[in-house]
Amino acid sequence: MDVIKKVKQRVYKFGNKTADGNSKMKNLLGGKGANLAEMSAIGIPVPPGFTITTEVCTEYNTLGQSSVIALIKKDVEQAIAYIEKQRKATYGDKENPLLISVRSGARVSMPGMMDTVLNLGLNDEVVSGLAKRTNNKEFAWDSYRRFIQMYGDVVLGMKPDSKEEIDPFEEIIENLKHKRGIELDTEFTVQDLKELVDDFKNAVKKRTGHDFPTDPWDQLWGAIIAVFDSWNSNRAIYYRNMNGYPADWGTAVNVQAMVFGNMGNNSGTGVCFTRDAGTGENVFNGEYLINAQGEDVVAGVKTPQQITKLGSERWAEIATIGESERLEKYPSLEELMPEVYEELQNIQDKLEKHYRDMQDMEFTIEEDKLWILQTRNGKRTGAAMVKIAMDLLSEGTINEKEALLHIEPNKLDELLHPIFDPKALKRATVIAHGLPASPGAATGRIVFFADEAKKYESSILVRLETSPEDLEGMNIAKGILTARGGMTSHAAVVARGMGKCCISGAGALKINYKKRALTIDGNEYKEGDWISLNGSTGKVIEGKVATVEPKLNGDFADLMALTGKYAQMKVRTNTDAPKDARVARNFGAEGIGLTRTEHMFFEGDRIKAMREMILADTTKGRKQALDKLLPMQREDFEGIFEAMDGFPVTIRLLDPPLHEFVPHELTTQKELAEEMHISLEAVKSKVSDLEEFNPMLGHRGCRLGNTYPEITEMQTRAIIEAALNLKKRGITCKPEIMVPLIGTVEEYEMQEGIIRSVVTAVFEERNDSIEYLVGTMIEIPRAVLVAAKIAEKAEFFSFGTNDLTQMTYGYSRDDAGKFLPIYIEKGILKVDPFEVIDEEGVGELIKMGVQRGRSAKPDLKIGICGEHGGEPNSVEFCYNTGMDYVSCSPYRVPIAKLVCAQAAIKASM
Ligand code: ADP
Ligand code: MG
Ligand code: MG
């Protein structure tokens, strides 16, 4: 079999300051595995283990379970022996047992999306041995009950039945706590823990019909397969689709010796960041729990303590806790375990310098000994991303090119979104405080269940804590509010990754899922009530709060300036309004790549003149109506030229089918008939004349201008007169007149002839002239094929990739909604080709058009004006084809500029 032969090594070991792999091997070992190997090799204390590669996951998906186990059995047994030797313990041994974890890890981090099981290797006999050997019964039985719980959840499918239900194991725990009158699970006695283990096992038997597996090797294989399966869980699939990660990447499996944070008060576990993931501030920060295992921190079940003294003080201030209470009940790790803290502090510094980026790390303290369990480039908000890159640059850790490559283009979008109006905030009623887990402003109506987030146009998801199942709803909601959990809880981490506003750990919230209500200090808020979240301050506000546009200065402005230094391709904008043109210019747009003249015809009185023109039966009638439109159109162009002073402006002649402009409702048809002094019947019959079977392929584009030359004449006149008017006022206009939708050179020639003769006439009338270009859109496949011929005439090409995609695929853009989502779900298409340029097909046509065009005219100016011009992958593609510019909507300009710089940097490496 093909798949099998190509694979050389399926299992990679790490530990004891060596490793088979390294951080560059993320595709093969997954991010977690690659970084565990790298950390081990550079001397960071990492528990020994091994990684089963992502290729094995792919093999599993094609070959199935038993073939894959046969393929890796020997390697896995040897690798377990390697861990046993290092930890001086034996897997499954009754006296000196080794326990292990089985951890998922794809090539990019997908927080909480896939599964991990801890404490494998325990059964009734082994647990006694472990208790004896460590002389710590609490620890041994706590580990055992955790193991059954996690293994039950992940491998045996013991998930709750419905969303109102709690986890079956949690229910058992809650009942016992209630019976014993205790609050924390650390208060359970050994006897309690034994009782939990029994109850858990019975629950498993009852639900699955099978006994809990006692053989450690059965446990291991069960967990490995479950991790592979988790790659295809619904939530992982959703996350992959959301981020555009292909299904064939697969996940790696990491098997690693357990280190125990639950061995008593000299043990613990935590998560930390080398910088602030919300704001980007350069402060080491994080959270930890004493006498706990890893999952406890992220799960948000308990509110953890801060690692640094500074963080702890800031936290206490928000939580309104006095200094003495803080020190006594919630001390920082820095204060509680100064030596361990210092080691951690050194390691975080070393790791950030090593990886040259902000790191997000997991650690465990086992009886005062520090172990690092994971590091990765930390997820962060858009604002933090920009600040961190610019700070690392000014600190000298990275250079300019690296700083630019550190920026994720689409994340810039977050910085361009509105924030709360400071004036409105002053009047707002704050009803609760939580942790500022992910900055931003959100206003919406309360929902309590993730799958109900779509109930309202703007919703705020309010939960005790979130879990990976909630992902889709978190994405839909405008903001997330949780009652429990810290800055590293699931809600906080995921929200920051999405750039979504989030407040976590708002302890004053009493949530009642069954009643679909929450109370704060006795005041009740129900599902559907409006609230607002200020994710930057942690304030929960009653009702709606007004928003304003953000200011884009400081680091953002510096970053934009830096893009200018490296970008070679220019960025223009698509707009027909002077206001938007100015926005785009502020973002650094260097011209307009597409002005859609038809949008201008919809406003106010213009639509009437437009309709008169369309309904006219004679050329004379059409000209009369066009005469009314001329001054309005000229005024529009003046506004745009003025906003773009000095930069080129591409204006597309009328493009859409005419029936889009005529009224289809009876009342407006009547009005029109009265105004034009013609019968209602005449209007109706004209409207039905204009109806087409396939308007997208019908009477539109240059076909309009070639059948009704007076339209092209009027538009050309408006453009040139506007430019000459402005010239008088000292404003430089560079109009580029663009003919849409040509398929033959003759179509172009006819339009060009009309344009040139009008221009000559206007120049003569005014006794003045300006420079201008005449060119065409390339959006019909035939135009690509005859591009050389067209280029002999045209002065520029602009690829209209919306139509080009539509016509290349033969997918009607207006009807694709019926099948595209299904095609993507079924994997027939990887992405929506109207969003991302299809390089294989449409992209080939673009390359051919560029090459054929330039073969006839080497300096032919070429750009793109479809929606793709603001999509990062497509922009990079355009750069690689040798285009002169891309053009996109105003708010995409910063993103496109960044990608232009990145593409140039990548090409030079
Ligand atoms: P995720 O990708 O969801 O973070 P992980 O595989 O990182 O899942 O594991 C979940 C938690 O269990 C983390 O806190 C991690 O540090 C902890 N953990 C994983 N393996 C071990 C181990 N061998 N010893 C101690 N803790 C572990
Ligand atoms: Mg992890
Ligand atoms: Mg088009």
Side-chain angles (χ1 to χ4, degrees), residues 556-691:
F556 181 83
D558 293 346
L559 175 74
M560 282 296 115
L562 204 56
T563 63
K565 195 164 160 186
Y566 291 90
Q568 286 156 9
M569 185 166 63
K570 297 220 177 326
V571 176
R572 297 191 187 184
T573 190
N574 298 348
T575 178
D576 33 61
K579 184 174 144 277
D580 293 345
R582 275 189 292 273
V583 169
R585 239 190 115 148
N586 283 340
F587 286 152
E590 297 158 289
I592 290 182
L594 175 64
T595 302
R596 297 177 167 94
T597 49
E598 60 271 17
H599 286 182
M600 301 170 165
F601 292 132
F602 281 105
E603 279 166 36
D605 275 354
R606 301 167 176 211
I607 187 74
K608 287 186 192 158
M610 187 67 186
R611 285 169 175 168
E612 265 178 52
M613 192 277 291
I614 295 168
L615 297 197
D617 286 324
T618 60
T619 311
K620 187 163 161 258
R622 260 195 304 280
K623 278 197 169 148
Q624 272 172 4
L626 285 165
D627 283 345
K628 289 189 198 163
L629 286 169
L630 175 70
M632 304 178 198
Q633 184 110 92
R634 190 172 54 218
E635 202 183 308
D636 288 334
F637 293 144
E638 284 180 15
I640 287 198
F641 289 150
E642 187 165 1
M644 275 292 152
D645 184 7
F647 287 122
V649 175
T650 307
I651 296 165
R652 178 176 70 184
L653 299 177
L654 192 65
D655 182 51
L658 295 180
H659 82 115
E660 285 187 14
F661 298 96
V662 294
H664 295 276
E665 272 160 35
L666 191 61
T667 47
T668 23
Q669 286 180 348
K670 270 187 192 151
E671 270 172 36
L672 186 65
E674 270 166 37
E675 255 162 48
M676 290 187 64
H677 308 292
I678 53 173
S679 69
L680 176 63
E681 291 319 305
V683 173
K684 277 189 175 165
S685 96
K686 191 73 193 186
V687 169
S688 75
D689 271 359
L690 286 170
E691 221 140 83

Side-chain angles (χ1 to χ4, degrees), residues 157-260:
M158 296 282 294
K159 299 260 153 81
D161 280 329
S162 75
K163 64 185 180 187
E164 279 92 356
E165 229 73 344
I166 58 169
D167 179 284
F169 297 122
E170 284 298 333
E171 192 170 3
I172 296 172
I173 291 178
E174 287 307 315
N175 287 342
L176 190 65
K177 276 187 192 166
H178 189 76
K179 212 159 97 188
R180 296 282 184 270
I182 57 173
E183 261 182 41
L184 300 174
D185 31 336
T186 41
E187 294 173 79
F188 283 132
T189 63
V190 173
Q191 206 43 52
D192 292 338
L193 292 167
K194 286 182 177 171
E195 197 176 316
L196 284 179
V197 164
D198 274 341
D199 291 350
F200 282 3
K201 283 197 210 154
N202 289 335
V204 168
K205 176 92 197 220
K206 202 169 138 207
R207 177 89 167 258
T208 68
H210 298 286
D211 285 320
F212 189 88
T214 53
D215 178 53
W217 284 93
D218 288 347
Q219 294 170 359
L220 175 57
W221 289 112
I224 290 174
I225 295 300
V227 170
F228 282 150
D229 282 334
S230 70
W231 176 251
N232 284 320
S233 67
N234 288 339
R235 59 184 203 237
I237 290 173
Y238 181 80
Y239 191 88
R240 289 202 312 255
N241 290 344
M242 186 169 90
N243 290 285
Y245 304 149
D248 57 15
W249 281 0
T251 178
V253 181
N254 302 289
V255 179
Q256 191 173 23
M258 280 302 297
V259 288
F260 300 103

Side-chain angles (χ1 to χ4, degrees), residues 238 450-451 453 459 461 469-478 480:
Y238 181 80
D451 60 353
S459 59
L461 178 63
E469 278 82 14
D470 298 334
L471 190 76
E472 184 171 358
M474 293 171 76
N475 194 24
I476 294 168
K478 293 277 185 275
I480 297 148

Side-chain angles (χ1 to χ4, degrees), residues 320-569:
T320 59
I321 285 172
E323 174 61 13
S324 56
E325 189 185 351
R326 179 193 74 78
L327 203 55
E328 196 199 313
K329 285 203 201 142
Y330 313 99
S332 65
L333 187 71
E334 188 173 356
E335 291 156 309
L336 198 67
M337 298 184 176
E339 276 152 40
V340 174
Y341 172 79
E342 200 186 314
E343 191 185 352
L344 182 62
Q345 153 73 32
N346 289 336
I347 288 176
Q348 67 93 16
D349 194 48
K350 180 171 173 176
L351 284 175
E352 184 178 278
K353 293 216 168 75
H354 183 78
Y355 284 99
R356 307 161 85 82
D357 197 0
M358 187 264 268
Q359 296 298 296
D360 163 356
M361 297 144 33
E362 289 171 3
F363 65 90
T364 283
I365 304 160
E366 180 184 286
E367 306 202 293
D368 293 318
K369 158 101 183 94
L370 177 66
W371 294 93
I372 306 296
L373 285 152
Q374 188 170 339
T375 193
R376 59 185 169 205
N377 294 341
K379 290 206 184 295
R380 63 203 78 175
T381 62
M385 170 184 76
V386 172
K387 178 163 169 51
I388 289 171
M390 297 315 278
D391 282 354
L392 286 171
L393 172 64
S394 63
E395 289 158 20
T397 306
I398 57 176
N399 61 33
E400 288 180 351
K401 290 182 180 180
E402 284 175 290
L404 285 165
L405 292 175
H406 263 56
I407 307 291
E408 226 181 285
N410 281 329
K411 271 194 105 64
L412 281 182
D413 200 33
E414 280 169 38
L415 277 81
L416 312 173
H417 288 318
I419 51 172
F420 283 133
D421 180 356
K423 278 181 242 138
L425 267 186
K426 282 204 188 107
R427 291 190 301 268
T429 315
V430 176
I431 50 175
H433 292 263
L435 299 171
S438 181
T443 287
R445 306 171 72 160
I446 298 175
V447 294
F448 291 100
F449 300 100
D451 60 353
E452 293 177 6
K454 47 184 169 307
K455 222 166 163 173
Y456 305 109
E457 200 173 299
S458 307
S459 59
I460 302 284
L461 178 63
V462 181
R463 305 244 348 131
L464 281 174
E465 71 257 3
T466 62
S467 76
E469 278 82 14
D470 298 334
L471 190 76
E472 184 171 358
M474 293 171 76
N475 194 24
I476 294 168
K478 293 277 185 275
I480 297 148
L481 171 63
T482 69
R484 296 187 197 148
M487 295 289 283
T488 52
S489 64
H490 178 265
V493 172
V494 171
R496 282 197 294 271
M498 290 175 170
K500 187 138 298 195
C501 168
C502 173
I503 296 176
S504 65
L509 265 62
K510 301 275 169 288
I511 299 176
N512 187 328
Y513 288 134
K514 285 223 163 92
K515 264 181 75 187
R516 292 172 186 254
L518 69 93
T519 48
I520 303 169
D521 295 337
N523 295 324
E524 191 176 77
Y525 299 87
K526 287 198 282 296
E527 179 182 289
D529 286 350
W530 286 88
I531 52 166
S532 301
L533 307 181
N534 187 340
S536 313
T537 59
K539 286 182 180 156
V540 183
I541 299 160
E542 200 171 69
K544 294 189 213 181
V545 182
T547 55
V548 290
E549 293 299 318
K551 285 206 186 68
L552 296 169
N553 40 23
D555 287 325
F556 181 83
D558 293 346
L559 175 74
M560 282 296 115
L562 204 56
T563 63
K565 195 164 160 186
Y566 291 90
Q568 286 156 9
M569 185 166 63

